Amino acid sequence: MHHVVVGLTWLKKRLAALGHKRRNVVETRLTLVHQAIKNELQTSNCCLGYRAMWRLLQLKYRYTIKRSTVMMLLAVMDPIASIHDYVTIGVCTDPVEDDCR
C-alpha cells in the first residue's frame, strides 16, 4: 500500500468539489410516522423528546425520517412536551411543570 495520510477536512473539501454528497434518502410517509408517534404517545409512560422519539422510530418501526420532521410533528401533536424541551435547552424563559421528569 501507499500509506497516504490525508485529513478529514481535506477529504470532505475534495468530495464536495467533485459534487459528491449524501445520498438522497426517501423518507417514510408522514401518515405512517404520525400514526406511530400517536401510538407511542398513548402507550408510553414517560414523555419522550424529539431525538428519543426519532431514534425509537428508527429502531422499532424501521422508519427513515429526519429529526426536524419528528420535531415538527411532536410540536403539533404534543405541544406541552415540546414547550418543555425548549425550556430545558434554554429557549423559553418560564418553566413548565412536567410530570414525567
Side-chain angles (χ1 to χ4, degrees):
M1 287 294 183
H2 297 288
H3 300 290
V4 176
V5 178
V6 295
L8 185 61
T9 305
W10 181 87
L11 181 62
K12 286 182 178 181
K13 283 182 181 181
R14 294 306 171 261
L15 288 173
L18 293 172
H20 294 282
K21 58 182 179 181
R22 291 179 183 235
R23 61 185 167 95
N24 292 330
V25 177
V26 178
E27 290 190 11
T28 306
R29 292 185 314 175
L30 285 180
T31 54
L32 295 173
V33 176
H34 183 272
Q35 189 66 7
I37 291 175
K38 185 177 176 182
N39 183 34
E40 289 300 322
L41 289 175
Q42 289 174 350
T43 59
S44 179
N45 292 332
C46 189
C47 302
L48 293 176
Y50 77 93
R51 286 178 291 195
M53 182 65 76
W54 171 72
R55 189 75 177 138
L56 181 79
L57 292 171
Q58 284 185 324
L59 295 176
K60 185 175 179 180
Y61 296 94
R62 303 231 182 240
Y63 288 168
T64 305
I65 191 84
K66 293 180 182 177
R67 280 187 301 178
S68 59
T69 306
V70 174
M71 183 170 57
M72 184 262 312
L73 284 172
L74 275 176
V76 171
M77 297 172 69
D78 194 12
I80 300 299
S82 297
I83 291 172
H84 178 72
D85 284 343
Y86 287 130
V87 170
T88 56
I89 61 174
V91 175
C92 290
T93 54
D94 30 324
V96 176
E97 292 184 10
D98 191 3
D99 295 336
C100 295
R101 297 276 174 182

